[in-house]
Amino acid sequence: MTKDAIVLGAGIVGVSTAIHLQRRGRQVVLVDRREPGRETSFGNAGLIQREGVVPYGFPQQFGLLLRYALNNRVDAHYHLRALPSQIAFLARYWWNSNTKRHQMISRAYAPLIEHSVSEHNDLIEASHAEELIRKNGWLELYRSNEKRDAEFAEAERLNREFGIGYEALSSAEIAAAEPHLRGGFSGALRWLDPWSVLDPHGLISAYRRYFESIGGRVTTGDAVSLGLSGSAWRMVTAEGSIEAEDVVVALGPWADLVTKRFGYAFPLGVKRGYHMHYAVEGNAVLNNWAADAERGYLLAPMSRGIRLTTGAEFARRDAPKTPVQLDRAEALARAAFPLGERLDPEPWMGARPCTPDMMPIIGKAPRHNGLWFAFGHAHHGLTLGPVTGRVLAELITGEKPFIDISAYGPGRFAP
């Protein structure tokens, strides 16, 4: 089989890239080892985070670092045996999170986030997936007055500098909006611009069906079979050998399985995360996505039930599950909302692909023609999938990307 382009990885970034290439007249095959949207893209919090212009940084305060070292928190957990192999990544992550560099990174990151909702909207309408979307923002809840006041001030800064919309809610306003929440929250931010997704896997499946409806092909295959055949790229799939002029690596936390084979040693780390779905007790209703900001978990009213998501686990990508954060979060969440029984047979676990400067890797491989990268989106994979797909497809087809993507280029790590 001969195609114009192969896209490796059928998560939200890969599916979106395949759509945008197919729209531009390229014949595209989308390849994954599993059904589209079954890996990292399956388990997120279901938020298209238009407000997320400030990427998640590494804590800088010494006292907070000491508390994390105790390894008993919900928002972060680590495997002690994994730390030696991750120390170089974590050191660079910490350095990039200092105030000055973090502000510079946020300004470079903002153009991607700015177009996150509008680019999703394009694909949502094209794939007729409107019933999966809610457009009433989400809630970030605070327990202490100190945290509340600091976050209210930060929201005002984000509004002033980046046009992010928000409402500051009092305890009484929280109770009116979410009458079944309990736990003594002192205030909340309602972020107005983000959209939420009732079923992230359902959304990616809708995008996949749209891709096929415009002529795209989906198959299974092993990305490590990729190799050069003259000037073309060739790999083995369930439908036989495929050749293409261009290949896009959109493999998320597994990108290194391909990139290292061609001499690219990106400093890609992972933050693992867990989720579980719950029934509710009685007639309890959670009206909106709600994060307990000081405890480090989020509750999302999804199609399958209330999804409880955890923070970050620093561990080897393929190490066995250790869902201790989920157990800790569940105890706290039950005190805040009347959760019922667990609905999943076991906790889901995924791995977020992260770079030490908190920005994705998007662009052409420095030393290979026809090899393109799109991974490293950390906590914002769902948010940034469609905008990433558009700018990379524009680059591949010779168009000028509609935003400046120079800050995300692979060359910053692999000259």
PDB file of all heavy atoms in Angstrom, residues 52 109 123 187 195 281 284 291 321 323 333 371 387 401:
ATOM      1  N   GLY A  52      -5.826  27.314  30.374  1.00  0.00           N
ATOM      2  CA  GLY A  52      -4.583  26.715  30.829  1.00  0.00           C
ATOM      3  C   GLY A  52      -3.323  27.285  30.205  1.00  0.00           C
ATOM      4  O   GLY A  52      -2.454  26.530  29.759  1.00  0.00           O
ATOM      5  N   TYR A 109       3.647  29.514  25.192  1.00  0.00           N
ATOM      6  CA  TYR A 109       2.638  28.449  25.195  1.00  0.00           C
ATOM      7  C   TYR A 109       1.243  28.977  24.852  1.00  0.00           C
ATOM      8  O   TYR A 109       0.410  28.263  24.295  1.00  0.00           O
ATOM      9  CB  TYR A 109       2.636  27.855  26.602  1.00  0.00           C
ATOM     10  CG  TYR A 109       1.931  26.546  26.817  1.00  0.00           C
ATOM     11  CD1 TYR A 109       2.251  25.413  26.087  1.00  0.00           C
ATOM     12  CD2 TYR A 109       0.967  26.426  27.822  1.00  0.00           C
ATOM     13  CE1 TYR A 109       1.642  24.198  26.334  1.00  0.00           C
ATOM     14  CE2 TYR A 109       0.344  25.215  28.080  1.00  0.00           C
ATOM     15  CZ  TYR A 109       0.686  24.101  27.330  1.00  0.00           C
ATOM     16  OH  TYR A 109       0.074  22.909  27.579  1.00  0.00           O
ATOM     17  N   LEU A 123     -13.711  20.543  14.560  1.00  0.00           N
ATOM     18  CA  LEU A 123     -13.819  19.094  14.423  1.00  0.00           C
ATOM     19  C   LEU A 123     -15.094  18.555  15.068  1.00  0.00           C
ATOM     20  O   LEU A 123     -15.664  17.559  14.596  1.00  0.00           O
ATOM     21  CB  LEU A 123     -12.589  18.420  15.032  1.00  0.00           C
ATOM     22  CG  LEU A 123     -11.235  18.792  14.430  1.00  0.00           C
ATOM     23  CD1 LEU A 123     -10.142  17.875  14.955  1.00  0.00           C
ATOM     24  CD2 LEU A 123     -11.274  18.763  12.908  1.00  0.00           C
ATOM     25  N   GLY A 187     -14.167  29.479  48.668  1.00  0.00           N
ATOM     26  CA  GLY A 187     -14.404  30.199  47.424  1.00  0.00           C
ATOM     27  C   GLY A 187     -14.034  29.328  46.245  1.00  0.00           C
ATOM     28  O   GLY A 187     -13.519  28.215  46.400  1.00  0.00           O
ATOM     29  N   TRP A 195     -14.360  24.266  27.547  1.00  0.00           N
ATOM     30  CA  TRP A 195     -15.453  23.332  27.310  1.00  0.00           C
ATOM     31  C   TRP A 195     -15.096  22.012  27.986  1.00  0.00           C
ATOM     32  O   TRP A 195     -13.930  21.721  28.238  1.00  0.00           O
ATOM     33  CB  TRP A 195     -15.659  23.098  25.816  1.00  0.00           C
ATOM     34  CG  TRP A 195     -16.218  24.284  25.084  1.00  0.00           C
ATOM     35  CD1 TRP A 195     -16.532  25.505  25.595  1.00  0.00           C
ATOM     36  CD2 TRP A 195     -16.512  24.354  23.684  1.00  0.00           C
ATOM     37  NE1 TRP A 195     -17.006  26.339  24.613  1.00  0.00           N
ATOM     38  CE2 TRP A 195     -17.006  25.647  23.428  1.00  0.00           C
ATOM     39  CE3 TRP A 195     -16.392  23.452  22.628  1.00  0.00           C
ATOM     40  CZ2 TRP A 195     -17.392  26.063  22.152  1.00  0.00           C
ATOM     41  CZ3 TRP A 195     -16.778  23.848  21.356  1.00  0.00           C
ATOM     42  CH2 TRP A 195     -17.275  25.135  21.124  1.00  0.00           C
ATOM     43  N   GLU A 281     -24.871   8.637  45.413  1.00  0.00           N
ATOM     44  CA  GLU A 281     -25.828   8.225  46.431  1.00  0.00           C
ATOM     45  C   GLU A 281     -27.127   8.998  46.271  1.00  0.00           C
ATOM     46  O   GLU A 281     -27.116  10.223  46.076  1.00  0.00           O
ATOM     47  CB  GLU A 281     -25.251   8.448  47.823  1.00  0.00           C
ATOM     48  CG  GLU A 281     -24.080   7.548  48.161  1.00  0.00           C
ATOM     49  CD  GLU A 281     -23.588   7.767  49.579  1.00  0.00           C
ATOM     50  OE1 GLU A 281     -24.030   8.758  50.219  1.00  0.00           O
ATOM     51  OE2 GLU A 281     -22.760   6.971  50.050  1.00  0.00           O
ATOM     52  N   ALA A 284     -28.233  12.682  44.404  1.00  0.00           N
ATOM     53  CA  ALA A 284     -27.170  13.683  44.320  1.00  0.00           C
ATOM     54  C   ALA A 284     -26.817  13.968  42.863  1.00  0.00           C
ATOM     55  O   ALA A 284     -26.830  13.078  42.012  1.00  0.00           O
ATOM     56  CB  ALA A 284     -25.940  13.209  45.079  1.00  0.00           C
ATOM     57  N   ALA A 291     -12.674  20.778  40.676  1.00  0.00           N
ATOM     58  CA  ALA A 291     -11.368  20.376  41.188  1.00  0.00           C
ATOM     59  C   ALA A 291     -11.195  20.894  42.606  1.00  0.00           C
ATOM     60  O   ALA A 291     -11.434  22.077  42.879  1.00  0.00           O
ATOM     61  CB  ALA A 291     -10.251  20.921  40.300  1.00  0.00           C
ATOM     62  N   LYS A 321       0.752  -0.867  37.992  1.00  0.00           N
ATOM     63  CA  LYS A 321      -0.089   0.150  38.626  1.00  0.00           C
ATOM     64  C   LYS A 321       0.158   0.192  40.138  1.00  0.00           C
ATOM     65  O   LYS A 321       0.308  -0.848  40.787  1.00  0.00           O
ATOM     66  CB  LYS A 321      -1.567  -0.161  38.394  1.00  0.00           C
ATOM     67  CG  LYS A 321      -2.051  -0.064  36.974  1.00  0.00           C
ATOM     68  CD  LYS A 321      -3.529  -0.420  36.917  1.00  0.00           C
ATOM     69  CE  LYS A 321      -4.059  -0.392  35.494  1.00  0.00           C
ATOM     70  NZ  LYS A 321      -5.496  -0.748  35.434  1.00  0.00           N
ATOM     71  N   PRO A 323      -2.123   2.433  42.436  1.00  0.00           N
ATOM     72  CA  PRO A 323      -3.141   3.494  42.527  1.00  0.00           C
ATOM     73  C   PRO A 323      -3.384   4.014  43.941  1.00  0.00           C
ATOM     74  O   PRO A 323      -4.525   4.242  44.350  1.00  0.00           O
ATOM     75  CB  PRO A 323      -4.377   2.797  41.962  1.00  0.00           C
ATOM     76  CG  PRO A 323      -4.184   1.358  42.280  1.00  0.00           C
ATOM     77  CD  PRO A 323      -2.713   1.106  42.189  1.00  0.00           C
ATOM     78  N   ALA A 333     -12.689  12.737  48.385  1.00  0.00           N
ATOM     79  CA  ALA A 333     -13.822  13.073  47.528  1.00  0.00           C
ATOM     80  C   ALA A 333     -15.139  12.654  48.162  1.00  0.00           C
ATOM     81  O   ALA A 333     -16.156  13.348  48.022  1.00  0.00           O
ATOM     82  CB  ALA A 333     -13.654  12.414  46.167  1.00  0.00           C
ATOM     83  N   LEU A 371      10.101  13.175   8.200  1.00  0.00           N
ATOM     84  CA  LEU A 371       9.837  12.690   9.559  1.00  0.00           C
ATOM     85  C   LEU A 371       9.408  13.869  10.419  1.00  0.00           C
ATOM     86  O   LEU A 371      10.129  14.867  10.518  1.00  0.00           O
ATOM     87  CB  LEU A 371      11.083  12.024  10.137  1.00  0.00           C
ATOM     88  CG  LEU A 371      10.975  11.447  11.557  1.00  0.00           C
ATOM     89  CD1 LEU A 371       9.911  10.358  11.629  1.00  0.00           C
ATOM     90  CD2 LEU A 371      12.339  10.913  12.009  1.00  0.00           C
ATOM     91  N   VAL A 387      -5.438  21.781  17.538  1.00  0.00           N
ATOM     92  CA  VAL A 387      -4.596  22.896  17.098  1.00  0.00           C
ATOM     93  C   VAL A 387      -3.225  22.370  16.685  1.00  0.00           C
ATOM     94  O   VAL A 387      -2.628  22.848  15.707  1.00  0.00           O
ATOM     95  CB  VAL A 387      -4.502  24.004  18.176  1.00  0.00           C
ATOM     96  CG1 VAL A 387      -3.816  23.536  19.432  1.00  0.00           C
ATOM     97  CG2 VAL A 387      -3.788  25.236  17.610  1.00  0.00           C
ATOM     98  N   PRO A 401       2.122  28.040   8.957  1.00  0.00           N
ATOM     99  CA  PRO A 401       1.253  27.776  10.115  1.00  0.00           C
ATOM    100  C   PRO A 401       0.562  29.049  10.577  1.00  0.00           C
ATOM    101  O   PRO A 401       1.153  30.128  10.576  1.00  0.00           O
ATOM    102  CB  PRO A 401       2.223  27.231  11.163  1.00  0.00           C
ATOM    103  CG  PRO A 401       3.323  26.616  10.356  1.00  0.00           C
ATOM    104  CD  PRO A 401       3.482  27.520   9.167  1.00  0.00           C
TER     105      PRO A 401
END
